[in-house]
Amino acid sequence: MATETSNWTLAELAARAGVPGRTIRFYIARGLLPGPSKAGRGAAYGPEHLERLRQIRDWQAQGLTLSEVGQRLAGPSRAALLPEPAAWWHYVVADDVTVQVRADAGPWRLKQIKNYLAQMAAGLRADDERKEQQ
Amino acid sequence: MNEGDGGFAVLDVQTGREARLAMEGLWLTGRLLPVGARLLVAHTFRSAEKQPLEVVYAFGLPRDAALRRFRILGEGFQVRSELKPVEEARKEYEHGVTEGHLSSLARVYRDGRVNLSVGNIRPGELVKVFLELVAGVDWRDDGLRFRFPFTLAPCYHREARAVEVEPGVGELELPEEAFGDVLLPPYMTDPAALHQVGFDLSVHLGAEIAGVSSPSHALRFKPAGPGAARVSLSRERDVPDRDLVLDVQARQVAPRCCGGAGRDGRARFTVVVPSVSFGRPDAAPPRSVVFLLDRSGSMSGTPLDQAKKAVDACLSVLSEKDRIGFVAFNQAVELFEERLVPCTAANRDRLRRHLQSLEAGGGTELAAGIQAAVKLAGGGEADLFVVTDGQVGATEDILRVSRAAGVRLHCLGVGAASQDRFLTLLARDTGGVSRFVTPRERVDTAALELFASAGRPLASDVKVSFEALPGGKAVLAPSTTVFAGHPLVVMGEADPGPGGALDIKWAAGRGTGRLQVAVTLDGPHEGQTVRLLQGARLITDWESRLTGEPSGQPQPGLEAREQRRILAKLEQLSRDYGLASRAMALVAVVERAGDDASRLPTTRVVPVGMPEDTRFKSYFRRSRTIAPSQIPADCIPYLREMLREESARIGRAPNVPGTLNEPRRDEHPLTFCEAGPLFSQAPATAEDRLMEEVARLLPDGGLPGVSAEDRLLRSAALLVALLGTGSTAQVGPFRLHVQKLVEFLKRAASGAPNDACRQLIEGLVTRAEAGAAGSPQPREWIEALLTWSRAPGAEAWERLEEWTEALD
């Protein structure tokens, strides 16, 4: 048993998991399941595929859609790829100016943005002070 | 865009533009006969990707339809499909895909959904699939209505999972235990970038065609000899966001027959006998009526508004002897009263207020609604009227509940992609009648029309005998009841030859009727088509009894045996008629030179447009598990503190910390938005005014007024207005109202101030009863008549006379 586990065909994986072949290919196309090490006749699927299929079934039973399963599998690192903003920091630069910055921007980028914001804040403040003096 | 993120990869997220279209076009062609349609659908697939593709196109079957076969065409090959038991076909397809061959499978699932899968389309390759199917039509006395789904409406099911995966793109997944491995298309709010659709059909009515029109698409119409025409899309292309609906009208209302020798050595025929052949309805006995109104989110806007008005207008033709009930449902069921109540003026007012308070939202638990309505009806001779878009899943379960209830269900389907197949079955299986309307038609007049037809069968206990037709017998038991506007359809077989006649007998009121209808069997091509149409109808009927998914979880003992019996019957029907069913699928595998088994095809599902009148947000909610949820809640105060310190160094004003998007949590897998107006409110038309006016009729049949004379004048004026729109006591959606008004005016005419006035009223009554509507009047005329202030007196009577004369 243990010797053959790492070399199933798609049909064998389908039979073991009770998931139709087309569904497995659909999951692979959606990135929910890693592809085989080889396709076609010599295709190789292993216990990790079986385990992942079980995991997907469990999540579906909890009411998750496939796109949600995909997000859960991708983990936090995928957050930046999503069209939905994670969170926004809301910087009040002056009384009449606020700037929103995405909270998941990279550290280096954030540093740059903050530099510019500081410049902007300083510039606006200097303007105000000049007006007050006049 | 992310390669692995969508299973379809059609829209580019950044540009919103079409990126790669796995299916480029869908073209519908074929022949429309008086008894059904024989269709050929051409699907063009092309891979513009670097890897081989497996493309899945999901669509819904029209009413009484079945797939016959397909031909798959590519560079240097052409192969026909074979009909095989589902499991065998699936294995053959899977094997073909694994071997790198071009493989195709057409398989029918529950609710008449079909997946057409084409695997191993090579990069740059063009593959065409020509799918043949036969489909039934909606028969009318004067012709037929044909409907073909260009899109697949999303459906409600308790356990369905639905989500908006990116702005304007929704995905719906059905639980596999109940629905098998069916794949549903991604739904796009913007259909502009989707595959193109078009059609070119020939119509052979066998009688002179008065016209072909469509409430859904712009048509090009070309006569092609007597009784024949060609209709095609008048634009170059269209988008898949609504069904195609065609109305074919004959110049004369007469029985129509299609028949001829089939390939099995027997002749097949279908005869359509218009309902007018069965005479006119008698006065209606007191009756019990339960209205069942779908108020789910997908009904929001005009459909629900018009449906409410229709219920109100239907109530006004009932008398105090009639009993009414009202049930509104979404995922919950709400009763107006716990029992049936007499249709008194007071009860009607209360129900009207109840109707006004109803808003659309939520799911579609149709089975629960039907059960509540049946319980309310209390097992008596009650008629149930359902107004719904029928966008539900697992319809076989609903049909089972409805059949067991033993109550007649009349259905009005509403929407651009209402489930015509299901609603037809629902009405037919319970002995009722059904109609559907598209968003560009009026729901209220259609509901009134259905109500007027369905309340009083024209003929009951209908018996068809085949003695005058050699070898004649029925293939399907014909209906034993005929309702106004709904023809009797007889599907049968006979010995080949010149034909003969059917002898039809029935009971009507206290009397009986008899009719002979000629059966001609001389159509050489028709015989085979009629045979296929009969097979499709039989298969549809049996499929509607197959509740589970054969490959899903095994069902308990008795149930499982019954389901196996139905599957065996379906397999037999499939083999006899050469048509696919839930038991048998169509498969083809093409071995091409250079097929490469080492590359796994990428699976793509072809997206479709949301039906133009269905609100996207009534099905699809935003994803629940977007990334912000992964920021642990207890970090948030810390993050806020940090931010405050950070920004203190930047600006001088106190800082507002970032707001984090809270992930939404939902108890139900499907959530629904509050309804908003989908259509801009159309200005009130003459029909709107009439609808409001007839709803005011009192139980005695007249309009309210300050005195007897005032009531007489007002009621007579309304009758003039109804005659001016073409309604009489016999025809038109308002015919029941005309009948009530006539009864009232006959009784009240003695209260007229003088002989001349009485004669005027009597003249109107005679005209309405004789069915002489008079020349149709312009809209302004109706509006002027309805807004006319009729203070009793000689002047008012003179005015009424002028209006009446205008009818001539």
Side-chain angles (χ1 to χ4, degrees):
Chain A
M1 190 73 185
T3 50
E4 58 165 31
T5 47
S6 56
N7 218 10
W8 302 324
T9 63
L10 184 69
E12 282 165 347
L13 175 67
R16 275 172 195 265
V19 178
R22 192 186 68 172
T23 309
I24 296 176
R25 285 193 296 277
F26 183 52
Y27 291 169
I28 294 172
R30 296 189 62 135
L32 306 180
L33 198 66
S37 50
K38 285 185 291 170
R41 275 185 291 270
Y45 298 88
E48 69 278 13
H49 292 95
L50 191 60
E51 184 45 43
R52 177 61 64 83
L53 285 172
R54 286 198 184 122
Q55 178 74 79
I56 294 171
R57 279 286 178 275
D58 283 353
W59 281 338
Q60 281 184 317
Q62 290 167 27
L64 255 61
T65 67
L66 289 179
S67 69
E68 289 165 339
V69 166
Q71 285 159 15
R72 197 173 272 200
L73 287 171
S77 63
R78 285 264 302 221
L81 295 172
L82 290 168
E84 196 75 18
W88 293 80
W89 301 128
H90 194 100
Y91 291 93
V92 180
V93 182
D95 282 343
D96 52 355
V97 180
T98 64
V99 176
Q100 289 193 345
V101 180
R102 266 186 81 137
D104 55 0
W108 173 246
R109 172 94 179 138
L110 209 56
K111 203 173 166 187
Q112 273 185 314
I113 293 170
K114 280 191 214 153
N115 265 335
Y116 287 123
L117 284 181
Q119 283 175 27
M120 187 177 170
L124 287 171
R125 197 158 42 211
D127 252 10
D128 284 354
E129 279 162 9
R130 218 177 8 254
K131 269 184 206 149
E132 272 170 32
Q133 280 167 11
Q134 281 169 3
Chain B
M1 80 175 272
N2 315 318
E3 280 281 337
D5 206 35
F8 40 93
V10 169
L11 290 196
D12 187 293
V13 173
Q14 266 87 42
T15 61
R17 298 290 306 160
E18 160 190 342
R20 291 161 299 202
L21 223 51
M23 189 170 99
E24 290 182 342
L26 185 149
W27 189 263
L28 171 71
T29 179
R31 278 155 58 86
L32 257 178
L33 298 170
V35 296
R38 192 154 178 184
L39 305 166
L40 184 72
V41 191
H43 310 78
T44 309
F45 297 98
R46 191 198 298 271
S47 168
E49 301 190 33
K50 293 194 184 85
Q51 70 275 26
L53 287 188
E54 177 182 42
V55 183
V56 182
Y57 176 57
F59 62 96
L61 285 175
R63 66 167 65 189
D64 299 334
L67 307 176
R68 184 164 185 233
R69 59 188 171 196
F70 63 76
R71 204 154 41 93
I72 181 160
L73 203 83
E75 215 169 300
F77 64 84
Q78 187 186 144
V79 175
R80 268 184 199 280
S81 64
E82 285 180 77
L83 187 64
K84 297 201 167 164
V86 164
E87 204 40 39
E88 202 179 308
R90 199 186 61 77
K91 278 190 182 138
E92 195 170 320
Y93 171 78
E94 282 295 323
H95 182 73
V97 170
T98 308
E99 294 293 314
H101 305 320
L102 184 73
S103 309
S104 187
L105 177 73
R107 178 177 169 189
V108 186
Y109 293 86
R110 293 186 78 170
D111 305 321
R113 288 188 203 90
V114 182
N115 272 184
L116 174 66
S117 312
V118 185
N120 283 324
I121 303 174
R122 290 173 181 168
E125 191 179 22
L126 179 80
V127 173
K128 288 195 172 200
V129 178
F130 296 91
L131 183 65
E132 267 185 72
L133 63 150
V134 284
V137 291
D138 181 11
W139 285 291
R140 306 281 167 104
D141 272 1
D142 61 350
L144 58 94
R145 179 168 255 209
F146 167 73
R147 181 169 190 152
F148 186 83
F150 275 146
T151 182
L152 181 65
C155 64
Y156 169 82
H157 186 267
R158 274 188 306 288
E159 290 163 41
R161 303 178 294 270
V163 74
E164 180 175 8
V165 288
E166 54 186 82
V169 183
E171 285 185 355
L172 185 68
E173 290 153 22
L174 295 169
E176 203 165 296
E177 311 81 62
F179 291 89
D181 67 336
V182 62
L183 290 175
L184 295 183
Y187 296 92
M188 320 289 260
T189 47
D190 178 11
L194 297 178
H195 59 271
Q196 298 170 19
V197 295
F199 59 89
D200 186 348
L201 294 157
S202 63
V203 183
H204 299 264
L205 200 55
E208 202 183 338
I209 297 176
V212 181
S213 57
S214 169
S216 63
H217 289 74
L219 288 187
R220 188 181 292 139
F221 173 78
K222 220 165 78 185
R230 276 193 93 82
V231 282
S232 54
L233 184 66
S234 76
R235 300 154 65 179
E236 204 170 301
R237 56 159 99 167
D238 212 320
V239 290
D241 68 346
R242 63 199 185 280
D243 291 354
L244 168 66
V245 178
L246 288 178
D247 287 317
V248 182
Q249 271 185 310
R251 211 169 279 289
Q252 278 189 323
V253 177
R256 294 183 291 274
C257 174
C258 241
R263 292 210 182 122
D264 59 348
R266 292 280 288 163
R268 296 277 183 149
F269 66 88
T270 295
V271 173
V272 183
V273 188
S275 68
V276 293
S277 309
F278 296 85
R280 301 277 181 208
D282 291 339
R287 59 185 189 185
S288 306
V289 179
V290 180
F291 295 95
L292 183 56
L293 187 61
D294 179 354
R295 49 169 290 215
S296 64
S298 51
M299 285 284 288
S300 66
T302 309
L304 185 67
D305 288 345
Q306 290 201 349
K308 288 186 201 174
K309 269 195 208 164
V311 171
D312 199 8
C314 290
L315 291 174
S316 61
V317 300
L318 297 174
S319 74
E320 289 188 337
K321 282 180 264 172
D322 299 328
R323 293 188 309 148
I324 49 168
F326 179 82
V327 180
F329 70 95
N330 46 17
Q331 73 273 37
V333 175
E334 192 183 346
L335 271 66
F336 163 62
E337 279 281 338
E338 293 290 327
R339 56 191 172 81
L340 296 182
V341 294
C343 190
T344 58
N347 280 334
R348 261 171 54 189
D349 281 345
R350 281 199 307 123
L351 180 49
R352 191 172 297 154
R353 280 195 299 276
H354 178 71
L355 277 171
Q356 277 159 3
S357 71
L358 289 178
E359 279 178 15
T364 315
E365 287 292 346
L366 182 52
I370 290 173
Q371 278 169 326
V374 168
K375 198 171 158 216
L376 190 61
E381 267 288 299
D383 278 309
L384 262 63
F385 284 85
V386 192
V387 183
T388 176
D389 55 18
Q391 289 176 9
V392 287
T395 51
E396 295 86 1
D397 298 343
I398 301 171
L399 287 167
R400 184 162 61 172
V401 168
S402 311
R403 278 188 212 107
V407 169
R408 200 173 266 164
L409 274 164
H410 306 291
C411 305
L412 184 69
V414 179
S418 68
Q419 269 205 57
D420 186 35
R421 181 180 181 273
F422 161 57
L423 293 176
T424 306
L425 281 164
L426 186 59
R428 195 162 67 203
D429 283 8
T430 58
V433 283
S434 68
R435 279 283 186 257
F436 66 84
V437 283
T438 62
R440 293 166 203 190
E441 296 171 290
R442 295 187 69 97
V443 174
D444 47 10
T445 40
L448 265 185
E449 181 69 57
L450 187 74
F451 189 73
S453 314
R456 318 161 180 225
L458 285 175
S460 51
D461 205 14
V462 178
K463 288 192 179 80
V464 182
S465 93
F466 298 86
E467 277 151 29
L469 181 68
K473 65 173 185 176
V475 169
L476 254 131
S479 170
T480 55
T481 321
V482 177
F483 293 96
H486 300 261
L488 175 77
V489 179
V490 184
M491 297 184 177
E493 59 179 304
D495 293 338
L502 297 180
D503 194 19
I504 304 170
K505 289 181 196 151
W506 67 91
R510 287 189 203 95
T512 56
R514 190 173 175 178
L515 180 73
Q516 283 228 324
V517 181
V519 178
T520 49
L521 302 171
D522 52 1
H525 307 297
E526 267 77 4
Q528 175 63 4
T529 302
V530 168
R531 186 174 185 275
L532 288 171
L533 283 163
Q534 291 178 351
R537 164 72 188 267
L538 286 167
I539 285 172
T540 307
D541 284 350
W542 280 94
E543 277 180 340
S544 74
R545 292 167 189 275
L546 196 61
T547 47
E549 177 55 43
S551 56
Q553 282 185 351
Q555 290 163 316
L558 198 67
E559 182 68 31
R561 244 197 336 265
E562 174 65 7
Q563 297 288 305
R564 276 201 299 275
R565 190 180 70 84
I566 296 169
L567 268 177
K569 176 73 188 170
L570 278 171
E571 186 169 336
Q572 192 54 50
L573 283 171
S574 277
R575 289 185 194 279
D576 287 352
Y577 286 91
L579 292 169
S581 68
R582 293 273 301 282
M584 294 193 73
L586 299 169
V587 63
V589 174
V590 189
E591 290 184 30
R592 300 161 297 186
D595 275 348
D596 183 2
S598 70
R599 296 181 76 186
L600 185 78
T602 304
T603 308
R604 306 269 185 232
V605 185
V606 177
V608 296
M610 275 301 279
E612 59 175 1
D613 60 335
T614 304
R615 283 169 61 87
F616 184 79
K617 290 206 167 4
S618 69
Y619 284 99
F620 301 104
R621 53 163 174 74
R622 281 288 167 83
S623 175
R624 282 171 293 171
T625 53
I626 42 180
S629 65
Q630 282 151 356
I631 299 174
D634 51 0
C635 288
I636 291 171
Y638 170 74
L639 284 169
R640 286 191 177 167
E641 192 51 44
M642 199 178 81
L643 238 249
R644 202 166 290 132
E645 282 176 22
E646 286 268 33
S647 46
R649 269 182 265 141
I650 299 173
R652 62 181 175 182
N655 298 290
V656 183
T659 46
L660 291 167
N661 291 350
E662 293 287 343
R664 208 196 283 177
R665 282 203 67 80
D666 296 310
E667 287 304 313
H668 300 284
L670 276 172
T671 58
F672 299 87
C673 251
E674 200 53 44
L678 177 64
F679 300 90
S680 55
Q681 200 62 44
T685 62
E687 268 161 329
D688 286 321
R689 289 283 300 120
L690 277 177
M691 200 63 74
E692 283 164 22
E693 205 64 14
V694 296
R696 296 176 59 232
L697 287 183
L698 294 178
D700 67 359
L703 279 176
V706 291
S707 66
E709 188 185 347
D710 187 31
R711 293 196 65 199
L712 192 57
L713 266 170
R714 285 170 186 274
S715 306
L718 177 57
L719 180 57
V720 174
L722 289 172
L723 290 170
T725 50
S727 275
T728 68
Q730 274 118 42
V731 297
F734 295 105
R735 58 185 181 272
L736 292 181
H737 296 98
V738 172
Q739 287 169 19
K740 279 209 88 168
L741 274 168
V742 162
E743 280 167 38
F744 171 77
L745 290 174
K746 275 183 183 169
R747 281 196 307 273
S750 56
N754 55 47
D755 279 355
C757 297
R758 197 171 60 243
Q759 276 162 18
L760 180 62
I761 299 285
E762 282 165 2
L764 272 174
V765 165
T766 312
R767 181 191 276 271
E769 285 188 321
S775 45
Q777 300 297 318
R779 198 164 277 190
E780 303 76 46
W781 186 86
I782 307 292
E783 272 163 29
L785 185 54
L786 292 177
T787 49
W788 166 47
S789 122
R790 315 164 196 88
E795 205 180 314
W797 285 100
E798 268 169 42
R799 203 65 216 281
L800 182 67
E801 195 171 357
E802 279 170 35
W803 292 114
T804 309
E805 278 164 8
L807 288 173
D808 293 321

